[in-house]
Amino acid sequence: MVIGDVMVRVEDAWGQREGAAQAAGRQAELGWTVNPSSGGRGYATEAVRKALRLCFEDLRLHRVVANAFASNEPSCRLAERVGMRRELYGVRDSLHRDLGWIDGVGYALLAEEWKGQQATAPV
């Protein structure tokens, strides 16, 4: 049985023309889905932490972002549990297949924040 998936999409960060080369491939969007019957067991937390490790330690990215429907409390809690901060609350900016236009949230984490979390994490 598939319990979920995690997606990492590397993209260019925002930058002016003169800094375009330095901004190329320095950011990623992170996404996840979890079968509700598998929720609450830590699988998603472990998978998202592994994806963040890949982004910051292997790919050496500057920033990772994740978006969710504001009403999706499990995804919001997961983003916060792995150390991401809420940066955005968009009013009716996200199109849901059944509910139409609903509010969305955006989370982010910087490489230096990730590094600080790893330095203070229990061994």
Side-chain angles (χ1 to χ4, degrees), residues 29-118:
E29 179 183 6
L30 183 61
W32 55 81
T33 59
V34 178
N35 183 329
S37 68
S38 298
R41 298 182 189 154
Y43 299 136
T45 301
E46 181 180 353
V48 170
R49 282 191 177 131
K50 297 283 186 186
L52 288 167
R53 188 202 59 73
L54 169 80
C55 289
F56 293 123
E57 296 177 20
D58 296 345
L59 299 175
R60 301 181 115 17
L61 300 180
H62 167 68
R63 176 180 163 87
V64 174
V65 300
N67 299 299
F69 296 125
S71 60
N72 186 340
E73 292 178 16
S75 278
C76 294
R77 284 194 309 269
L78 174 56
E80 293 168 5
R81 190 166 44 255
V82 299
M84 301 183 90
R85 102 187 74 67
R86 185 182 292 189
E87 291 190 331
L88 166 78
Y89 189 97
V91 176
R92 294 176 55 183
D93 68 344
S94 302
L95 185 57
H96 187 280
R97 71 178 165 266
D98 298 324
L99 304 175
W101 290 102
I102 62 174
D103 296 353
V105 290
Y107 289 86
L109 184 65
L110 296 171
E112 57 261 28
E113 294 168 326
W114 170 259
K115 185 176 180 181
Q117 290 177 14
Q118 301 316 296

